[in-house]
Structures are given as structure tokens and as C-alpha cells.
Amino acid sequence: MIFNKITLYNFGPYYNRQEYDLRPRVKNGELCPVILFGGKNGAGKTTIFEAINLSLYGPSSLGPTVTKSSYEEYLFDKIHRNTISNEEINKASVELEFSHIHLGFRNIYQVLRSWKKNGKKIEEQLSIKRNGDVIEDLDRDQWDTLLKEILPPGIAQTFFFDGEKIRKLSGERSIDRLYMVDSIEALLGIDIIKRLKSDLVTYSRKLDKEKDNSLYVNKIDDLNQKKEDLSKNLLMLKQDRAQNETRISWLKSQISLLEEKVALSGGEFSEKYGKLKSEDEKLKVEINSFEDALRDICHGVLPFSLCSDLCKKLTERIQYEQNELSKQSLHNEIKKHVIKLTEEIMHSEEFKSIETKKIDSFCEYMVQASYKILQATLEFNVSTCVINDLSRNDIEKLTSWVHQALNEMPNNVSTLCKRINEAKDNLKKVEANISRVPSEDAIRPLISQLNQVNRDLGAISTTAKKQDEDIKKNEFHLDHIEREIKKINQDAIDSSRFTEKLRLLAEIQEILVDFEDDLKKHKIKELEDTICDLFNQLCRKKNLVSRISIDPSNFSHTFYDERGNKIPRKSLSSGERQVFAIALLWALKKISGRPLPLIIDTPLSRLDSDHRSNLVNIYFPNASHQTLVLSTDTEIDNSFFHELSPYVSHAYHLNYYEDKKMTIGEIGYFWEGN
């Protein structure tokens, strides 16, 4: 695993968004594993440490027993307070990007944990992306679990530590011994054996329950009793249903018989009496309506149709007179024009030189010739006598009446007469049917009897339907019980095989107990030797401890000198006990073989210069492939910085600006650029 970068947003003394590259870099062909953060007290070194823990574990980063209210109070307190601008800041976040190889595949995870104020409460959100995409194959509720599976908190606490944890391990502070034992067992691989033993115990208990044949016998007896009861009940239901079916058939035959009697008694017409009376009234109204329409036609132009020849002659005469009158009118107009023309010729100046007698003869000739031409062209009879002196409007009206009388009225009269005849025929049929309706007293007993039989049929049909449903339910339950009996019988047969499984499980459990003991002895021996070797490398007094013994039950340790004598813990100085704690953590990391990053927050504060020098020159360069060191300028001073420089990938100086009331991380260390 490699931490790529950490991003803080309004977190602690860090205002706005600040990002820090955590990837170790290669210098001069060598990987430099140390990323150094330098800052004075209160500058925000521990905030970096907390941000990584918080992004990975959320509430668990505060310990296994933290409450929800305590966690929310912590988040509330971690939102940056900008006292310069008096800007009210309501939200903050931490984001960690890391690379992780699983089953041979390298994935890049981005873990963003953000929160905001909502009144007095905190609303928190977690977002996890894998290779740039939000993880879809897990519910959001499982994201925290995913992070704990990638890097279990129990293991992380031996890779992420500060001076406080070192003091607890050195015995200067109380420590949750049980939590520490679990962590050490996880690092040594012993926890896997314990989980396997626990799973086998659970499986054995399950087999013990299933192999109890008496349980199968009792279950089968109970089911057989239920099956017998259901079968009896089903038989009774079917018998009752058959009786009701017979009753239903008889009632249906009675209904048919009564309906036939009612029909013979005129019951059919009785049922239709209302409809017949309605039809009778409707037909009478229709007949009256048709007759009224016929009378209206008779009052109009219909009489003209009785003298059709006379009407035709009248229209021909009117047309003839109109033509003759038009010709006479035209003749008179032309005649006036000729007379006017002769007068103009006789008085014209152009004809004064001509003898008057000749002109009179010419005019007379022209008039007579014109009359002859008109008479021949118009061919009208001057003696025609106009009988019908009518206006054009009267002529048109008279012509229309004649047309209606001769063409439309006969068809309308014929249609109305046909409808009147049809309605009268239907009225006769309806009146005949009404006359067949029996009296109410005569048919009432039959109708009453028929209604009662229909009610009886309805009631018994409802009962039969309910019986059909009950029969289906009983048959379903019976089928279910039979399948259950069959399954239990098969399980009972299989249970005989459980004995062999249980015997093998017992043998495996015994083997696991021996294997756990052997593995723990081997691992603890390896741990004892490794701690002793690393302690002597880091401690100023060489070979101060010749051997270290660890109690397998609680991992408490005992020191021995070269002569095999116990070395009392109190005889070691505070610095030596802290060096031992660091050697213990380093040894656990070596033996676990887990390629995880290491984070160390202010580890040198209570060590003398010799021990600091050993840690700077031996521990930091070799502790891990990625080591984040958070230090003050007195822990790693100018001298130690130059000794550590060959192994430093890059460094940040966390500088708190009083005028801005915020920390800004700048490339470089206290007194040198990077």
C-alpha cells in the first residue's frame, strides 16, 4: 500500500483546500522512503496524522468505545475557525488517496470524508472511488467495512503511532491490553487460526443438532398427525360439496319447470306488460304526428296536383306571353330609333342641296323597309292578347307552386301514408299482446314460488363456492405436509453421515490447537529475537539486553542480561523503554511482512541525542517503504536533518501564520528548501 496524497479542507488550522503529496520519490536511482513534515507545536503535525486516521476509520479513529455524540463533538471542533475575516465556516473534509494491490491487481482508492454543521448537529458523508469510479458493487453502508478490510484498525495502530502510544507501550501509560493482544495476534497470523477454530465449533454445533434422529422422528409424527386430520376434514368437505351439488341440480330443474308454467299462464306477456304499454303510447303519438303532417300538406299546394294538365298549360301560357311581350318591347324601341333617324336626315345641312321631295321619298322608303325587316326578324304576333298580367315575382312564385304540386307533394304524401299504415299495423299487434296479459292475481303464486326457488339456489351456490375454496386450501396444505415429510425423511437418512463428519472435525480441532501452540511459540520466539536485535541496534547501551521473553497469554515481556538474570523494568530509563516500544513495533512490522506505510508523530521528544541519532540513522530509513515523520525542529534539528537527508523524499514545513490565523504547508524544512 502507498499513500499518494492527503487533502485537507477547513480542517483544524488548515484553511480552505490544502493538498500534500505523500508518494516517495526516487533520487539518484534510490527510493527515498521518508516524507518529512516539520512544524512547531500547534502548527498542525498531529492534524495530518488525525486526517489520515479519520479518512480511513471515521468514528473508530477515536478508539473502539467512542460515542456518537463524542464523535460529532470532535468533528464540530475540527472545523476551521477563521478569526481574521470572521467568516462563518460550516463544512470541512479530509480526503486520502492510496494505492492498494489485491489479488495481483493495483487499484487506486480515493476516500473522501466530509461533514457540515446543521444547527447543533453534524451531517457526515463518506465517498469512496476506485480507479476514479464510485464503488457500485457494495452498498454505501458497507464502505466503512471495506476500508477496515483493506487496512484493519488493529493492525494500523502498530503502523500509525505517536509519542503517546509509545509511552503506553513502554509502560508509562496504561494500555488496552486486550486490544493490543488482538493486534499482535493479527500481525503474527495467529488470529486466522482462532477464526478457523471458532468456525469449526459453530459448524460442529450445527451438525450436532441435525444428527439428532429423535428430533426427526418427532417432526415426522407431528406432520403425520396433521396429515391425517387434514385428510379427514378434506373427505367431509368433499361429501358436503357433493350433497350441495345434488341440491343445486334439483333447484335448477324446479326453476325450469316453474318458468314454463309462468309462460303458459301468460307470464311472459305479464313481464313485458309495461314495455307493451309504452310501445302502444309511442305508436299512437307517431300516427297523430304523421296525420298532422298530411293535413298541413293538404292545406297547401297539394290540390294543384289534382289538375296537373291545367297547371302545365298555365305555365306554358305564361311563358308564351312573356316572350311576346319581350318582342313587342324590342320592336317599339327600334321603331322609335328609325323615326328619329329620318327626322335627323330631313333636317340635316348636308342634304339641303337635295330636292325635298326626293328626301321625303327616301325616308319613307327607309321606314317601310325597316318595318319589313323587323317583322320578318322578330316574328311576333302584334295581335297577341295578354291574359295573365303578372309581375315577375308573382310569376316565379306561381311557377314554384306548380313545380311543388306536380313533383314533390305526391312523393311526400305517399311516404306519410306508408308510415301511417305501418304504425297502425304495429299498433294492432301491440294491442293484441296487451289483451293476452293475465291478471295479477292469477300469476302471483307462480311468481312467488319461482322467486323463492331462485333465492334458495343463490344461497346454496354461495355455500358451494366457499366449500370449493376450503377444499383447495386443504389440498394445498396436505401437499405441503407430504413434501415436508419427504424432506425430513431424506434429512434423517443423511444424518447418519454426520457422525463421520463430526469425528473428522474433532480431529481437525485437535490439530489446530497443536498448530496454534506451535505457531505461537515459533512466532513469539521470532518476535523475541527480532525485538532484542532491533532494541540493541537502537539503544545507546549496546547489549544492554541479552534476551527478551514474551508471555504468550498476554504478550507481556521480560528482559534478561548476559548472565541470564532478569532486568527489572524500572531499572531501564524512560528513553530506553521508549526505544524498546519502537523496537517492538518495528519487529511486529518485520514479522508480519505487510507492506504498509508507517506514520510516526513526534517520536523523539523524550529521547536523548544518542537515541535520536539511532532512530534517525537506523530506524527511519529502514522502517518501511513509505515513512511519514511528523517532527518539531528540536526533534529533527539541523544536524539530524542532514543525516536523514539521503533518505528524505521530500519535506513540508508546516508554518502557522499568526496574521492569517492558519497553517500553510510549504515545500522544504524549517531552514532549507526542498
Side-chain angles (χ1 to χ4, degrees), residues 34-40 45 600-609 611-617 619-621 627-645 648 650-653 669-672:
V34 178
I35 294 91
L36 185 60
F37 285 84
K40 294 187 176 180
K45 299 186 300 301
I600 310 169
D601 182 20
T602 59
L604 311 177
S605 58
R606 303 188 65 182
L607 298 179
D608 58 31
S609 59
H611 285 141
R612 291 185 184 186
S613 177
N614 288 340
L615 261 63
V616 167
N617 291 287
Y619 178 57
F620 292 161
T627 303
L628 308 184
V629 179
L630 307 164
S631 170
T632 63
D633 58 343
T634 57
E635 289 179 296
I636 297 181
D637 56 16
N638 194 0
S639 173
F640 286 141
F641 176 75
H642 283 90
E643 292 178 14
L644 187 61
S645 289
V648 175
H650 55 286
Y652 290 102
H653 178 203
Y669 202 53
F670 287 96
W671 42 83
E672 291 192 19

Side-chain angles (χ1 to χ4, degrees), residues 481-580:
I481 288 174
E482 287 175 345
R483 282 188 278 111
E484 190 73 11
I485 290 172
K486 185 177 180 180
K487 179 179 180 302
I488 293 175
N489 280 331
Q490 184 62 44
D491 291 344
I493 294 171
D494 293 340
S495 69
S496 60
R497 304 169 191 160
F498 292 163
T499 305
E500 178 63 15
K501 289 183 180 178
L502 288 169
R503 187 185 65 77
L504 292 173
L505 282 173
E507 289 183 1
I508 293 171
Q509 286 174 318
E510 291 177 1
I511 291 171
L512 284 176
V513 170
D514 294 339
F515 180 70
E516 181 185 355
D517 290 341
D518 292 343
L519 178 65
K520 187 177 284 186
K521 289 177 183 176
H522 172 76
K523 289 289 184 181
I524 287 178
K525 179 66 171 68
E526 186 179 1
L527 182 61
E528 290 171 344
D529 294 343
T530 305
I531 293 174
C532 186
D533 177 54
L534 295 175
F535 175 75
N536 286 324
Q537 288 185 48
L538 298 176
C539 187
R540 180 176 55 82
K541 299 175 183 175
K542 301 303 178 187
N543 299 320
L544 174 65
V545 175
S546 177
R547 184 170 69 87
I548 295 175
S549 175
I550 296 177
D551 185 343
S553 62
N554 56 16
F555 293 95
S556 61
H557 48 269
T558 306
F559 303 102
Y560 294 91
D561 60 16
E562 292 177 330
R563 298 177 180 178
N565 298 319
K566 287 185 180 179
I567 302 176
R569 176 182 291 273
K570 294 182 179 179
S571 65
L572 298 178
S573 68
S574 174
E576 289 168 341
R577 290 199 295 270
Q578 289 188 32
V579 169
F580 167 75

Side-chain angles (χ1 to χ4, degrees), residues 224-234 474 478:
N224 279 328
Q225 184 61 47
K226 290 181 180 177
K227 179 182 175 182
E228 185 179 348
D229 294 342
L230 278 173
S231 298
K232 289 179 180 178
N233 191 39
L234 183 61
N474 276 264
L478 195 58

